[in-house]
Amino acid sequence: MAPRNYLFTSESVSEGHPDKVCDRISDSVVDLYLAADPLARVAVETLATTNRIVMAGEVRGPASITPDRLEQAARDAVRDIGYEQDGFHWKKAVVDVYVHAQSIDIAQGVDAAGNKDEGAGDQGIMFGYACRETDVLMPAPIYFAHNILRAMSVARRAGKEPKLGPDAKSQVTLQYENGKPVRATSVVVSTQHSPDVDQDDVREIVRPYVMKVLPSGWMCPESEFYVNPTGRFVIGGPDGDAGLTGRKIIVDTYGGAAPHGGGAFSGKDPSKVDRSAAYAARYLAKNVVAASLADRCTIQLAYAIGVSKPLSVYVDFQNTGRADEDKVSRKLQDLVDLSPRGIRQHLALNRPIYARTAAYGHFGRTSEPDGGFSWERTDLVAELRGLAA
């Protein structure tokens, strides 16, 4: 198939977006439990609205994690994001905690026992993707959309942009020629701001961050540079729009450039394959592309609740491959045990490393010394290069 010329768009949202506030709280709970017990089980959802936070879900972990500690974790997350507003304040918000013990029916299907290995926490399909469009092997539109907001957040947190608030969204449209991104055709940024600045002021505050993130010469035409197109964005965060955990799954992954499985990530411990297997699929796809076996790679994993081995491991190079896809699938399964336990051990996922994933994407990040973003490593490359045709 010949490369195409087309436009493609992806969006991102900041850590202060209502849904991302909820993701951050839920992942802070995961970290709280894993810090106390690496084998804890957590599935916690969060809702946030005007000065109210509601947490609900199922856990299995130490009794030392009390409702008061869960409430404090929520307040700490909101404070770190930067909400001290009349309609949403880390100290003044009412926090309701409805968290109970994990179902014994689920537990018996998932736990290891006798000769039975630990099974998947649910049925489902998970996808991983990598491509050559950026140095981190991510699609360019979502990569730039994330980095615009992240640059603004860093400046806001450092006190360099006191007129900006925590809530923000971005959207980047790129022109592709012969299948490769070459320039931006439009950029949209909506950001919460203080009431004493107008739309033109905000536009000039935002402009240098967009210019810094996009490659030289890629800036869109001035007529296609939209900043706060509604004109005013003072009321933001959960005060402006209710938030829920797990409602920004395309922002979390590949910006629509690749498939997404049926489940969200945040609020789930790594025994849940919605999370761990999606990380494993990205890890495998990234290593395949880093090994130059393909310019684009999609990997699908499928699981059944209570069953340890994946039901299928599908590899698709989208007509860019330099190796046999079936051979690569078999080799990947030889290199990595794709059972829930095997994934967690290989990527060392039973650690409190998840609050940091809640904004600006779970993929395309840098692996960290304490094990954060371990799925971004490319340590399989040497083993895979021999498969090239």
Side-chain angles (χ1 to χ4, degrees), residues 368-385:
E368 298 177 346
D370 68 348
F373 302 103
S374 60
W375 49 93
E376 293 296 316
R377 302 189 317 243
T378 53
D379 51 352
L380 303 180
V381 167
E383 296 276 3
L384 292 171
R385 278 184 174 146

Side-chain angles (χ1 to χ4, degrees), residues 127-140 142 176 253-255 257-259 278-300 314-322 332 363-365 375-378 381 384:
F127 287 94
Y129 181 72
C131 64
R132 286 273 174 206
E133 294 180 14
T134 60
D135 291 343
V136 294
L137 305 185
M138 284 287 287
I142 189 67
Y176 282 71
T253 54
Y254 308 102
Y279 290 172
R282 161 65 179 175
Y283 171 64
L284 298 179
K286 184 175 184 181
N287 275 269
V288 165
V289 174
S292 298
L293 300 185
D295 293 331
R296 294 193 298 274
C297 178
T298 300
I299 291 179
Q300 184 204 59
Y314 169 74
V315 178
D316 180 8
F317 293 158
Q318 300 176 24
N319 299 310
T320 68
R322 302 175 191 91
L332 293 173
F363 308 130
R365 310 288 283 271
W375 49 93
E376 293 296 316
R377 302 189 317 243
T378 53
V381 167
L384 292 171

Side-chain angles (χ1 to χ4, degrees), residues 11 16 56 62 68 118 139 160 175 184 197 212 234 253 264 266 291 311 350:
E11 71 160 344
D68 285 346
E118 177 185 312
K160 296 178 181 178
Q175 173 73 53
V197 293
K212 180 180 178 181
V234 173
T253 54
S266 290
L311 306 183
N350 286 101

